[in-house]
PDB file of all heavy atoms in Angstrom:
ATOM      1  N   GLN K   1      12.184   2.961   2.874  1.00  0.00           N
ATOM      2  CA  GLN K   1      11.128   3.068   1.872  1.00  0.00           C
ATOM      3  C   GLN K   1       9.746   2.904   2.472  1.00  0.00           C
ATOM      4  O   GLN K   1       8.744   3.210   1.825  1.00  0.00           O
ATOM      5  CB  GLN K   1      11.317   2.040   0.746  1.00  0.00           C
ATOM      6  CG  GLN K   1      11.147   0.578   1.154  1.00  0.00           C
ATOM      7  CD  GLN K   1      12.453  -0.025   1.607  1.00  0.00           C
ATOM      8  OE1 GLN K   1      13.366   0.660   2.048  1.00  0.00           O
ATOM      9  NE2 GLN K   1      12.548  -1.343   1.500  1.00  0.00           N
ATOM     10  N   GLN K   2       9.672   2.397   3.709  1.00  0.00           N
ATOM     11  CA  GLN K   2       8.399   2.253   4.378  1.00  0.00           C
ATOM     12  C   GLN K   2       8.282   3.215   5.546  1.00  0.00           C
ATOM     13  O   GLN K   2       7.470   3.034   6.434  1.00  0.00           O
ATOM     14  CB  GLN K   2       8.200   0.818   4.858  1.00  0.00           C
ATOM     15  CG  GLN K   2       8.094  -0.161   3.709  1.00  0.00           C
ATOM     16  CD  GLN K   2       8.070  -1.585   4.133  1.00  0.00           C
ATOM     17  OE1 GLN K   2       8.240  -1.880   5.275  1.00  0.00           O
ATOM     18  NE2 GLN K   2       7.853  -2.481   3.205  1.00  0.00           N
ATOM     19  N   SER K   3       9.111   4.235   5.550  1.00  0.00           N
ATOM     20  CA  SER K   3       9.070   5.252   6.590  1.00  0.00           C
ATOM     21  C   SER K   3       7.722   5.924   6.616  1.00  0.00           C
ATOM     22  O   SER K   3       7.089   6.170   5.605  1.00  0.00           O
ATOM     23  CB  SER K   3      10.165   6.291   6.367  1.00  0.00           C
ATOM     24  OG  SER K   3       9.966   7.427   7.184  1.00  0.00           O
ATOM     25  N   ASN K   4       7.268   6.253   7.807  1.00  0.00           N
ATOM     26  CA  ASN K   4       5.996   6.937   7.947  1.00  0.00           C
ATOM     27  C   ASN K   4       6.018   8.347   7.380  1.00  0.00           C
ATOM     28  O   ASN K   4       4.978   8.941   7.136  1.00  0.00           O
ATOM     29  CB  ASN K   4       5.604   6.997   9.420  1.00  0.00           C
ATOM     30  CG  ASN K   4       5.452   5.623  10.005  1.00  0.00           C
ATOM     31  OD1 ASN K   4       4.890   4.758   9.372  1.00  0.00           O
ATOM     32  ND2 ASN K   4       5.965   5.417  11.199  1.00  0.00           N
ATOM     33  N   ASN K   5       7.206   8.876   7.138  1.00  0.00           N
ATOM     34  CA  ASN K   5       7.319  10.180   6.530  1.00  0.00           C
ATOM     35  C   ASN K   5       7.125  10.129   5.028  1.00  0.00           C
ATOM     36  O   ASN K   5       7.004  11.142   4.361  1.00  0.00           O
ATOM     37  CB  ASN K   5       8.676  10.809   6.855  1.00  0.00           C
ATOM     38  CG  ASN K   5       8.819  11.103   8.336  1.00  0.00           C
ATOM     39  OD1 ASN K   5       7.940  11.689   8.941  1.00  0.00           O
ATOM     40  ND2 ASN K   5       9.909  10.675   8.908  1.00  0.00           N
ATOM     41  N   ASN K   6       7.088   8.923   4.464  1.00  0.00           N
ATOM     42  CA  ASN K   6       6.857   8.736   3.042  1.00  0.00           C
ATOM     43  C   ASN K   6       5.486   8.130   2.813  1.00  0.00           C
ATOM     44  O   ASN K   6       5.306   7.164   2.090  1.00  0.00           O
ATOM     45  CB  ASN K   6       7.941   7.837   2.437  1.00  0.00           C
ATOM     46  CG  ASN K   6       9.309   8.466   2.515  1.00  0.00           C
ATOM     47  OD1 ASN K   6       9.440   9.693   2.439  1.00  0.00           O
ATOM     48  ND2 ASN K   6      10.331   7.664   2.686  1.00  0.00           N
ATOM     49  N   LEU K   7       4.482   8.716   3.473  1.00  0.00           N
ATOM     50  CA  LEU K   7       3.140   8.151   3.475  1.00  0.00           C
ATOM     51  C   LEU K   7       2.568   8.022   2.078  1.00  0.00           C
ATOM     52  O   LEU K   7       2.012   6.987   1.708  1.00  0.00           O
ATOM     53  CB  LEU K   7       2.218   9.009   4.344  1.00  0.00           C
ATOM     54  CG  LEU K   7       0.741   8.611   4.390  1.00  0.00           C
ATOM     55  CD1 LEU K   7       0.596   7.201   4.897  1.00  0.00           C
ATOM     56  CD2 LEU K   7      -0.019   9.588   5.275  1.00  0.00           C
ATOM     57  N   GLN K   8       2.697   9.073   1.267  1.00  0.00           N
ATOM     58  CA  GLN K   8       2.099   9.054  -0.057  1.00  0.00           C
ATOM     59  C   GLN K   8       2.690   7.955  -0.923  1.00  0.00           C
ATOM     60  O   GLN K   8       1.980   7.232  -1.621  1.00  0.00           O
ATOM     61  CB  GLN K   8       2.271  10.406  -0.743  1.00  0.00           C
ATOM     62  CG  GLN K   8       1.552  10.500  -2.087  1.00  0.00           C
ATOM     63  CD  GLN K   8       1.671  11.872  -2.711  1.00  0.00           C
ATOM     64  OE1 GLN K   8       2.378  12.727  -2.205  1.00  0.00           O
ATOM     65  NE2 GLN K   8       0.997  12.091  -3.828  1.00  0.00           N
ATOM     66  N   GLN K   9       4.012   7.814  -0.857  1.00  0.00           N
ATOM     67  CA  GLN K   9       4.683   6.784  -1.634  1.00  0.00           C
ATOM     68  C   GLN K   9       4.181   5.395  -1.253  1.00  0.00           C
ATOM     69  O   GLN K   9       3.914   4.548  -2.110  1.00  0.00           O
ATOM     70  CB  GLN K   9       6.193   6.870  -1.422  1.00  0.00           C
ATOM     71  CG  GLN K   9       6.983   5.812  -2.175  1.00  0.00           C
ATOM     72  CD  GLN K   9       8.466   5.919  -1.896  1.00  0.00           C
ATOM     73  OE1 GLN K   9       8.927   6.854  -1.258  1.00  0.00           O
ATOM     74  NE2 GLN K   9       9.225   4.978  -2.360  1.00  0.00           N
ATOM     75  N   TYR K  10       4.022   5.161   0.037  1.00  0.00           N
ATOM     76  CA  TYR K  10       3.556   3.866   0.490  1.00  0.00           C
ATOM     77  C   TYR K  10       2.117   3.602   0.059  1.00  0.00           C
ATOM     78  O   TYR K  10       1.768   2.507  -0.371  1.00  0.00           O
ATOM     79  CB  TYR K  10       3.666   3.718   2.000  1.00  0.00           C
ATOM     80  CG  TYR K  10       3.121   2.388   2.461  1.00  0.00           C
ATOM     81  CD1 TYR K  10       3.867   1.244   2.336  1.00  0.00           C
ATOM     82  CD2 TYR K  10       1.824   2.287   2.938  1.00  0.00           C
ATOM     83  CE1 TYR K  10       3.341   0.015   2.686  1.00  0.00           C
ATOM     84  CE2 TYR K  10       1.301   1.068   3.304  1.00  0.00           C
ATOM     85  CZ  TYR K  10       2.063  -0.063   3.170  1.00  0.00           C
ATOM     86  OH  TYR K  10       1.539  -1.271   3.512  1.00  0.00           O
ATOM     87  N   GLN K  11       1.265   4.624   0.187  1.00  0.00           N
ATOM     88  CA  GLN K  11      -0.130   4.462  -0.156  1.00  0.00           C
ATOM     89  C   GLN K  11      -0.310   4.067  -1.620  1.00  0.00           C
ATOM     90  O   GLN K  11      -1.134   3.235  -1.958  1.00  0.00           O
ATOM     91  CB  GLN K  11      -0.909   5.744   0.138  1.00  0.00           C
ATOM     92  CG  GLN K  11      -1.097   6.009   1.614  1.00  0.00           C
ATOM     93  CD  GLN K  11      -1.566   7.411   1.882  1.00  0.00           C
ATOM     94  OE1 GLN K  11      -1.488   8.269   1.036  1.00  0.00           O
ATOM     95  NE2 GLN K  11      -2.048   7.636   3.085  1.00  0.00           N
ATOM     96  N   GLN K  12       0.488   4.684  -2.518  1.00  0.00           N
ATOM     97  CA  GLN K  12       0.409   4.342  -3.923  1.00  0.00           C
ATOM     98  C   GLN K  12       0.770   2.880  -4.147  1.00  0.00           C
ATOM     99  O   GLN K  12       0.109   2.168  -4.892  1.00  0.00           O
ATOM    100  CB  GLN K  12       1.321   5.257  -4.732  1.00  0.00           C
ATOM    101  CG  GLN K  12       0.860   6.708  -4.755  1.00  0.00           C
ATOM    102  CD  GLN K  12       1.861   7.642  -5.370  1.00  0.00           C
ATOM    103  OE1 GLN K  12       3.013   7.281  -5.579  1.00  0.00           O
ATOM    104  NE2 GLN K  12       1.446   8.868  -5.657  1.00  0.00           N
ATOM    105  N   GLY K  13       1.817   2.423  -3.448  1.00  0.00           N
ATOM    106  CA  GLY K  13       2.199   1.033  -3.556  1.00  0.00           C
ATOM    107  C   GLY K  13       1.165   0.098  -2.960  1.00  0.00           C
ATOM    108  O   GLY K  13       0.919  -0.991  -3.468  1.00  0.00           O
ATOM    109  N   GLN K  14       0.536   0.546  -1.858  1.00  0.00           N
ATOM    110  CA  GLN K  14      -0.491  -0.232  -1.198  1.00  0.00           C
ATOM    111  C   GLN K  14      -1.701  -0.439  -2.098  1.00  0.00           C
ATOM    112  O   GLN K  14      -2.261  -1.521  -2.186  1.00  0.00           O
ATOM    113  CB  GLN K  14      -0.913   0.436   0.117  1.00  0.00           C
ATOM    114  CG  GLN K  14      -2.093  -0.227   0.819  1.00  0.00           C
ATOM    115  CD  GLN K  14      -1.801  -1.616   1.307  1.00  0.00           C
ATOM    116  OE1 GLN K  14      -0.651  -1.982   1.406  1.00  0.00           O
ATOM    117  NE2 GLN K  14      -2.811  -2.395   1.583  1.00  0.00           N
ATOM    118  N   GLN K  15      -2.121   0.606  -2.794  1.00  0.00           N
ATOM    119  CA  GLN K  15      -3.266   0.499  -3.680  1.00  0.00           C
ATOM    120  C   GLN K  15      -3.038  -0.542  -4.759  1.00  0.00           C
ATOM    121  O   GLN K  15      -3.899  -1.350  -5.060  1.00  0.00           O
ATOM    122  CB  GLN K  15      -3.578   1.860  -4.290  1.00  0.00           C
ATOM    123  CG  GLN K  15      -4.100   2.871  -3.276  1.00  0.00           C
ATOM    124  CD  GLN K  15      -4.186   4.266  -3.845  1.00  0.00           C
ATOM    125  OE1 GLN K  15      -3.811   4.509  -4.985  1.00  0.00           O
ATOM    126  NE2 GLN K  15      -4.666   5.216  -3.047  1.00  0.00           N
ATOM    127  N   GLY K  16      -1.836  -0.529  -5.323  1.00  0.00           N
ATOM    128  CA  GLY K  16      -1.509  -1.511  -6.345  1.00  0.00           C
ATOM    129  C   GLY K  16      -1.492  -2.920  -5.799  1.00  0.00           C
ATOM    130  O   GLY K  16      -1.944  -3.871  -6.441  1.00  0.00           O
ATOM    131  N   GLN K  17      -0.980  -3.077  -4.563  1.00  0.00           N
ATOM    132  CA  GLN K  17      -0.913  -4.389  -3.943  1.00  0.00           C
ATOM    133  C   GLN K  17      -2.304  -4.920  -3.636  1.00  0.00           C
ATOM    134  O   GLN K  17      -2.582  -6.100  -3.809  1.00  0.00           O
ATOM    135  CB  GLN K  17      -0.070  -4.328  -2.651  1.00  0.00           C
ATOM    136  CG  GLN K  17       0.212  -5.691  -2.042  1.00  0.00           C
ATOM    137  CD  GLN K  17       1.082  -6.533  -2.942  1.00  0.00           C
ATOM    138  OE1 GLN K  17       2.171  -6.142  -3.337  1.00  0.00           O
ATOM    139  NE2 GLN K  17       0.585  -7.717  -3.283  1.00  0.00           N
ATOM    140  N   GLU K  18      -3.209  -4.034  -3.157  1.00  0.00           N
ATOM    141  CA  GLU K  18      -4.562  -4.457  -2.858  1.00  0.00           C
ATOM    142  C   GLU K  18      -5.286  -4.950  -4.106  1.00  0.00           C
ATOM    143  O   GLU K  18      -6.020  -5.923  -4.071  1.00  0.00           O
ATOM    144  CB  GLU K  18      -5.331  -3.308  -2.209  1.00  0.00           C
ATOM    145  CG  GLU K  18      -4.883  -3.011  -0.784  1.00  0.00           C
ATOM    146  CD  GLU K  18      -5.565  -1.801  -0.208  1.00  0.00           C
ATOM    147  OE1 GLU K  18      -6.251  -1.107  -0.976  1.00  0.00           O
ATOM    148  OE2 GLU K  18      -5.395  -1.537   0.997  1.00  0.00           O
ATOM    149  N   GLN K  19      -5.057  -4.284  -5.241  1.00  0.00           N
ATOM    150  CA  GLN K  19      -5.670  -4.707  -6.484  1.00  0.00           C
ATOM    151  C   GLN K  19      -5.140  -6.067  -6.909  1.00  0.00           C
ATOM    152  O   GLN K  19      -5.858  -6.906  -7.431  1.00  0.00           O
ATOM    153  CB  GLN K  19      -5.420  -3.674  -7.572  1.00  0.00           C
ATOM    154  CG  GLN K  19      -6.128  -2.346  -7.319  1.00  0.00           C
ATOM    155  CD  GLN K  19      -5.761  -1.281  -8.316  1.00  0.00           C
ATOM    156  OE1 GLN K  19      -4.930  -1.499  -9.188  1.00  0.00           O
ATOM    157  NE2 GLN K  19      -6.361  -0.104  -8.216  1.00  0.00           N
ATOM    158  N   GLU K  20      -3.872  -6.284  -6.647  1.00  0.00           N
ATOM    159  CA  GLU K  20      -3.244  -7.549  -7.025  1.00  0.00           C
ATOM    160  C   GLU K  20      -3.715  -8.690  -6.141  1.00  0.00           C
ATOM    161  O   GLU K  20      -3.993  -9.802  -6.611  1.00  0.00           O
ATOM    162  CB  GLU K  20      -1.725  -7.410  -6.909  1.00  0.00           C
ATOM    163  CG  GLU K  20      -0.960  -8.668  -7.283  1.00  0.00           C
ATOM    164  CD  GLU K  20       0.536  -8.473  -7.128  1.00  0.00           C
ATOM    165  OE1 GLU K  20       1.004  -7.335  -7.239  1.00  0.00           O
ATOM    166  OE2 GLU K  20       1.246  -9.470  -6.892  1.00  0.00           O
ATOM    167  N   ASN K  21      -3.846  -8.432  -4.817  1.00  0.00           N
ATOM    168  CA  ASN K  21      -4.165  -9.490  -3.876  1.00  0.00           C
ATOM    169  C   ASN K  21      -5.654  -9.761  -3.743  1.00  0.00           C
ATOM    170  O   ASN K  21      -6.055 -10.814  -3.290  1.00  0.00           O
ATOM    171  CB  ASN K  21      -3.603  -9.152  -2.478  1.00  0.00           C
ATOM    172  CG  ASN K  21      -2.107  -9.280  -2.424  1.00  0.00           C
ATOM    173  OD1 ASN K  21      -1.502  -9.902  -3.286  1.00  0.00           O
ATOM    174  ND2 ASN K  21      -1.505  -8.700  -1.399  1.00  0.00           N
ATOM    175  N   GLY K  22      -6.490  -8.815  -4.092  1.00  0.00           N
ATOM    176  CA  GLY K  22      -7.914  -8.978  -3.854  1.00  0.00           C
ATOM    177  C   GLY K  22      -8.290  -8.461  -2.494  1.00  0.00           C
ATOM    178  O   GLY K  22      -7.521  -7.840  -1.797  1.00  0.00           O
ATOM    179  N   GLN K  23      -9.522  -8.734  -2.074  1.00  0.00           N
ATOM    180  CA  GLN K  23     -10.039  -8.206  -0.837  1.00  0.00           C
ATOM    181  C   GLN K  23      -9.335  -8.805   0.362  1.00  0.00           C
ATOM    182  O   GLN K  23      -9.134 -10.000   0.475  1.00  0.00           O
ATOM    183  CB  GLN K  23     -11.540  -8.466  -0.736  1.00  0.00           C
ATOM    184  CG  GLN K  23     -12.202  -7.802   0.456  1.00  0.00           C
ATOM    185  CD  GLN K  23     -13.679  -8.028   0.478  1.00  0.00           C
ATOM    186  OE1 GLN K  23     -14.225  -8.666  -0.416  1.00  0.00           O
ATOM    187  NE2 GLN K  23     -14.350  -7.521   1.503  1.00  0.00           N
ATOM    188  N   GLU K  24      -8.993  -7.926   1.318  1.00  0.00           N
ATOM    189  CA  GLU K  24      -8.315  -8.349   2.534  1.00  0.00           C
ATOM    190  C   GLU K  24      -9.206  -9.261   3.360  1.00  0.00           C
ATOM    191  O   GLU K  24     -10.405  -9.067   3.480  1.00  0.00           O
ATOM    192  CB  GLU K  24      -7.965  -7.102   3.359  1.00  0.00           C
ATOM    193  CG  GLU K  24      -6.798  -7.235   4.229  1.00  0.00           C
ATOM    194  CD  GLU K  24      -6.430  -5.938   4.896  1.00  0.00           C
ATOM    195  OE1 GLU K  24      -7.168  -5.487   5.720  1.00  0.00           O
ATOM    196  OE2 GLU K  24      -5.422  -5.377   4.602  1.00  0.00           O
ATOM    197  N   GLY K  25      -8.590 -10.299   3.915  1.00  0.00           N
ATOM    198  CA  GLY K  25      -9.308 -11.186   4.816  1.00  0.00           C
ATOM    199  C   GLY K  25      -9.820 -12.459   4.174  1.00  0.00           C
ATOM    200  O   GLY K  25     -10.279 -13.355   4.872  1.00  0.00           O
ATOM    201  N   GLN K  26      -9.807 -12.587   2.874  1.00  0.00           N
ATOM    202  CA  GLN K  26     -10.251 -13.791   2.216  1.00  0.00           C
ATOM    203  C   GLN K  26      -9.201 -14.886   2.314  1.00  0.00           C
ATOM    204  O   GLN K  26      -8.011 -14.621   2.391  1.00  0.00           O
ATOM    205  CB  GLN K  26     -10.577 -13.520   0.753  1.00  0.00           C
ATOM    206  CG  GLN K  26     -11.781 -12.631   0.549  1.00  0.00           C
ATOM    207  CD  GLN K  26     -12.128 -12.453  -0.897  1.00  0.00           C
ATOM    208  OE1 GLN K  26     -11.384 -12.857  -1.776  1.00  0.00           O
ATOM    209  NE2 GLN K  26     -13.269 -11.853  -1.175  1.00  0.00           N
TER     210      GLN K  26
END
């Protein structure tokens, strides 16, 4: 599910995670 060939799928999940976690590095 985290294969580099499934880039779009991962990116969608990443966007949701970033919104949930807040800004990276804090």
Side-chain angles (χ1 to χ4, degrees):
Q1 67 270 25
Q2 295 173 354
S3 167
N4 299 318
N5 294 311
N6 296 328
L7 176 59
Q8 185 177 6
Q9 179 182 352
Y10 178 79
Q11 288 166 344
Q12 293 171 347
Q14 174 65 17
Q15 292 171 357
Q17 188 65 56
E18 288 175 351
Q19 293 174 357
E20 180 181 333
N21 288 343
Q23 187 177 359
E24 208 174 68
Q26 293 184 351

